[in-house]
Every structure is written in structure tokens, then in C-alpha cells.
Amino acid sequence: MSTTSLPASDHSSRLRAALLAADFTADGLLDLLGASAYAALARSETVPALRATRGDTPLETLVRLFLLQGSVPHAAARAALPLDEALADGWVVRDGEGVRATVDVRPYGGPEGQDWFIVSDLGCAVGGASGASGHGEGVVLGVGGASTTLAGLTVRTPVSSALDLGAGSGIQALHAAQHATRVTATDLNPRALGFTRLTLALSDAPPAELREGSLFEPVADETYDLIVSNPPFVISPGARLTYRDGGMGGDDLCRTLVQQAGERLNAGGFAHFLANWQHVEGEEWQDRLRSWVPRGCDAWIVQREVQDITQYAELWLRDSGDHRGDPEAYAARYEAWLDEFEARGTKAVGFGWITLRKADSERPSVVAEEWPHPVEQPLGPTVRAHFERQDYLRTHDDAALLTGHFTLAPEVVQEQVGLPGAEDPEHVVLRQNRGMRRATKVDTVGAGFAGVCDGTLSAGRILDAIAQLTGEDAVLLRDRTPQAIRLLVEEGFLEPVPEPR
């Protein structure tokens, strides 16, 4: 673990003003570096960015200082920063004739165009000078794909209280501070709480209540309207690296988090988790995950990726830089991973999202599905709409569906698939262009039904009209169609029209 003390935030407002004045922002970086060098930086390749920052403007100095993490001349640093305060607070230190950064400061664009900054250990932000490989077990990472994924799928409605469990550098707490009256951030690593404090201060966000400890221990029996966690979910033999290894056997850490979240959610509250889970011989992964869902909660579980145990072990051995060291030590660690998986009967590991919602229903909705296809972030509105549709379907039997009114979701388009020149299509596909970007095949009745759903006529009236046009028996059509309507509603192709009160 790094023992370097963290900067103070006493003059963070002056430092923030200097960063913004130099256009040290996500947009400013793209303009300065160009798309190619900017993309290379995201791959931890720094040479193109070094070539693009040969000048002496404040922005070029800040990029070399905080992103490329090199030493910059004293005069250049003074032109770009309130240098005396930055030195006094510990953001930079003297380095011979120049100064160098003590932390990684990375521009991060908020969802509404805010200019934020994520503070983390040197070289540990995605696109940092050296990546996370080879760092000690107490390292605190910056922005990564997992962080932005979780931020994008979180439901963003105004709430009284939010909990960021395992806060790391504070990205989720920063997002939550925009719509929660009170934010609590916890982490087992006290250094992570320090970085969360810096991230919030430098981003001009309200401070969070910071608590040290594991899992839900720091908050005891307190309850929240929103819980978010990007936990150390890697399934590994031991807990060598705090930032990624859970320290419990198998997927027990993720299971424990999900199971304990239910009693800490207020009514109607959401909990969002990223997680890994084992695929075990003789057990369906969906059944494994359903068993994690606490009583009184609806759940939506989405598996995004599956890796066999060799791919998984190699991924995380490379993450920690073990492949660059002693070959015998690498082989021994590889063996330890495979031994762990063999002992647990694990044949593969899944990765995905788990969302809980505290509900009153005696018939909870638990949906577990595999969706490896591209999606369009942010997914927060899609997640919220999913649970609202589950509420509707849970309270409407087939007869009620037929009296309901529906509209076609605005992002849905229809595709007709068939041979060129054919009189009739072989089949019709409805496709979403936003959110989960689902596609579903429908028959001519389904296509015709969806095409005229504008909220004017009830589903039953539409089916009666289709029966008259096609010569089908209206009663039989009403009997066999509700299941198809239910599926189109569940997957978001049709939206129920609110019933008048």
C-alpha cells in the first residue's frame, strides 16, 4: 500500500479555477490532443500525447503534470497553477528544477456537461501513464469502464439519501451528490476515502459523509433510497489486491452484498451492483443469482459476459502485472487460480449488473437474462422503466391487458425481412434504437397490432379490427394474443398508457 500522504483540499476551489481557466476539461483534452492521441492515452500509450504537448501553454503543462505524470519546469507550473498553494497542500512537490504531481487528476465530463475531476493514485486511472499493473494492494484506481457503466445504469431520481459502498476514488458518490440530499461513502481502505474527499472537493460537489469499514458494517442498520457499489468482485484465490479481490471465497462477497442490501433499502429504493458470479457444474447461473435476491425486492439481473476459467485467470494475472515477472511465480499463481476453481466446481465466470428495488408486492419480479449485445448508455431511465412495466404486468391479468391502451415506444422501428421482390416478408422484426437495443420477431398480427398502437383504441378493439381484416375468429385472436402483448410490454416495445384516476 502506498504510504504517501494525500493532498489537503484547503485551496481546492483555487486549483479548480486554474484547471478550468486552462481548459483542462474532457472537451479541452480532446481539442488539444486530437482523437488519435486521446484514444491512445486511453490505452495507456503516452507517446502521441507527449508529442501533442510540446508547447508551454498552461493546458499542455497540466496534461504533462497530471496525466502523463512527468516533471514540468517550475515557471511553467506557476503559469498553470496557484503553485504556492498546490505545493503547500501537497498536490505537487518539488523535483529538482521542476515540480511533479503526487496524484492523478483526470477531467471527467458529468452527464449534464459538468466539468468534474477524478483524483486517484498516480498511474492508476484508465489511460494513466502506467495503468494499474504492478501497484500495491492498497492502490486506489481512477475512472474505468466499470465505473462509467455503473454510473450510467443507476436510476437518477431525486432522493433523500444515497450510499456509495466501496467508494474508491469517489466517482459514484460524485454522481449521487447531484440528486441526493445526503451521500454516505464507505470503503475498507482509508486512502480511498481520502481520494473521495478530494474528488468531491475538486469537482465543486457537496461533501459526503465518509465512513471506513467493510461491506455494510460502517452504516449499521441505517437505510437509504439509493445504494450503488462497484465492489472488489474478482473471484480469486485470496485477497492480494484490495481494489479488486473481495477476500471471500468464490462469489460470496457479491452474494453477501446483494442479500444484505434489501434490509437497508427504503420502500421504492434502488440498489445497483456490478458483480462476478460462478458458473458451477450442475447449477443454472440464473438459479444461483435468483437465490441471492433478498425478500421484499424485485430484481433485474443482466449477464453481459462469460469467460472460461483460463481466460478469467489470465485476465486478472495480466491486470496485476504478474505476466511481466518471474515465469515460475506466474505459473504458480495461475495454478492457484485453477486449483480454486476446481475446488469449487467452477467452469466459467459471469459478469454483469444486478439491480434491486424495494417493493411491497407479495409476488416479486425477478428477471435474470443474458444480454451480451451493445446497449446505449445512460441506461438509468431504461432500468426505471423496466420496473414500472413489471408493476403494470403484475397487476393486469389477460382480461385487463385487453382493456388497456398502449403506445409504441418512440425509439422502435420495424424491419421487414425477406427475399428481394417477394410479395410478403418472411418475417417482421421490431427493433429498439435506444436503451437495451432489443429486437424481436413478430408475426403479421403482432406487427399490425404494434403499428396502430397510438393510445387511442384499447388492445381488444385493435384485435377485433385485425380479426375483421384478416378473417380470423375474433374470440380466438383475443385468447391467443395477450401473451404476445405481455412480452412486448415486458421488453419495452409497447408502453402502457396511464389509466385515468
Side-chain angles (χ1 to χ4, degrees):
M1 178 182 295
S2 174
T3 58
T4 306
S5 60
L6 297 184
S9 55
D10 297 355
H11 302 94
S12 57
S13 60
R14 286 205 62 195
L15 177 57
R16 173 179 171 81
L19 299 179
L20 294 179
D23 204 17
F24 187 64
T25 63
D27 289 341
L29 290 183
L30 183 58
D31 290 342
L32 170 67
L33 301 177
S36 178
Y38 193 76
L41 193 61
R43 301 190 299 270
S44 297
E45 295 291 347
T46 59
V47 172
L50 284 167
R51 291 173 62 86
T53 56
R54 291 170 169 171
D56 58 0
T57 66
L59 178 55
E60 289 168 304
T61 297
L62 293 171
V63 171
R64 292 197 303 273
L65 183 66
F66 287 119
L67 269 64
L68 304 179
Q69 293 154 14
S71 180
V72 302
H74 193 276
R78 185 169 294 281
L81 296 167
L83 185 57
D84 293 338
E85 290 91 340
L87 284 165
D89 288 352
W91 292 93
V92 298
V93 293
R94 298 187 187 279
D95 182 33
E97 296 298 316
V99 299
R100 59 179 176 81
T102 62
V103 291
D104 184 299
V105 177
R106 193 145 306 247
Y108 179 70
E112 297 178 3
Q114 303 99 323
D115 289 316
W116 291 341
F117 301 95
I118 309 301
V119 189
S120 64
D121 270 315
L122 289 171
C124 293
V126 170
S130 61
S133 298
H135 283 278
E137 59 95 12
V139 71
V140 178
L141 303 186
V143 182
S147 304
T148 55
T149 293
L150 179 59
L153 63 88
T154 299
V155 173
R156 301 293 176 192
T157 52
V159 294
S160 296
S161 57
L163 171 64
D164 178 5
L165 194 152
S169 54
I171 301 163
Q172 309 307 326
L174 177 58
H175 279 275
Q178 311 307 306
H179 63 102
T181 304
R182 176 174 63 91
V183 177
T184 302
T186 71
D187 206 289
L188 181 63
N189 182 1
R191 187 173 177 80
L193 297 177
F195 277 118
T196 294
R197 171 180 55 82
L198 294 173
T199 289
L200 294 173
L202 199 56
S203 299
D204 195 28
E209 183 178 352
L210 306 177
R211 300 189 191 178
E212 181 183 342
S214 177
L215 302 179
F216 287 103
E217 291 172 4
V219 300
D221 57 355
E222 295 177 40
T223 58
Y224 298 87
D225 302 312
L226 173 67
I227 298 172
V228 291
S229 184
N230 176 18
F233 52 66
V234 176
I235 300 171
S236 60
R240 188 160 59 103
L241 300 173
T242 303
Y243 72 87
R244 69 167 205 195
D245 300 327
M248 295 185 180
D251 51 18
D252 283 355
L253 182 134
C254 291
R255 174 185 58 80
T256 301
L257 271 178
V258 174
Q259 288 180 337
Q260 293 183 356
E263 60 191 24
R264 290 171 176 84
L265 275 177
N266 294 326
F270 285 92
H272 301 272
F273 304 95
L274 299 185
N276 277 183
W277 45 81
Q278 299 170 117
H279 285 225
V280 179
E281 293 285 354
E283 179 184 37
E284 295 294 329
W285 73 265
Q286 295 95 332
D287 293 339
R288 184 179 191 85
L289 272 293
R290 289 189 186 103
S291 74
W292 294 6
V293 178
R295 288 176 58 86
C297 287
D298 296 329
W300 187 17
I301 301 160
V302 181
Q303 180 167 273
R304 295 288 289 156
E305 184 179 0
V306 181
Q307 290 186 318
D308 69 44
I309 56 175
T310 58
Q311 291 175 312
Y312 189 80
E314 291 161 14
L315 169 67
W316 294 110
L317 286 167
R318 283 176 169 78
D319 169 80
S320 54
D322 289 308
H323 63 301
R324 298 197 189 106
D326 177 21
E328 290 187 4
Y330 173 81
R333 283 193 167 135
Y334 200 149
E335 286 274 9
W337 284 71
L338 297 185
D339 287 344
E340 173 81 4
F341 288 136
E342 183 178 342
R344 295 182 176 277
T346 304
K347 58 183 180 179
V349 177
F351 168 81
W353 321 320
I354 300 174
T355 299
L356 305 178
R357 185 190 61 165
K358 194 65 171 287
D360 295 330
S361 174
E362 295 180 359
R363 294 184 297 140
S365 163
V366 179
V367 176
E369 62 174 319
E370 186 161 14
W371 192 254
H373 311 294
V375 298
E376 184 173 299
Q377 289 274 29
L379 279 171
T382 300
V383 173
R384 184 182 182 191
H386 166 88
F387 288 97
E388 290 173 346
R389 293 194 302 269
Q390 294 299 322
D391 286 342
Y392 178 88
L393 293 172
R394 187 161 42 198
T395 56
H396 288 72
D397 59 16
D398 288 354
L401 278 183
L402 292 176
T403 62
H405 295 240
F406 303 92
T407 58
L408 189 67
E411 73 274 11
V412 174
V413 297
Q414 176 179 302
E415 300 174 358
Q416 297 189 3
V417 181
L419 294 174
E423 186 171 329
D424 296 312
E426 293 178 14
H427 59 264
V428 176
V429 173
L430 299 181
R431 187 178 302 278
Q432 300 168 353
N433 285 324
R434 291 187 303 188
M436 294 294 284
R437 301 180 70 90
R438 297 185 190 275
T440 188
K441 189 187 298 185
V442 293
D443 59 16
T444 53
V445 171
F449 180 87
V452 297
C453 276
D454 61 2
T456 305
L457 298 176
S458 69
R461 292 281 300 276
I462 293 173
L463 291 177
D464 290 343
I466 291 175
Q468 189 171 4
L469 286 172
T470 61
E472 289 199 48
D473 185 293
V475 175
L476 293 178
L477 190 60
R478 277 176 170 255
D479 285 344
R480 70 177 175 85
T481 306
Q483 188 58 39
I485 297 174
R486 191 172 294 276
L487 181 62
L488 291 175
V489 172
E490 181 174 354
E491 295 192 341
F493 292 95
L494 294 179
E495 297 177 350
V497 175
E499 298 168 3
R501 297 186 177 184

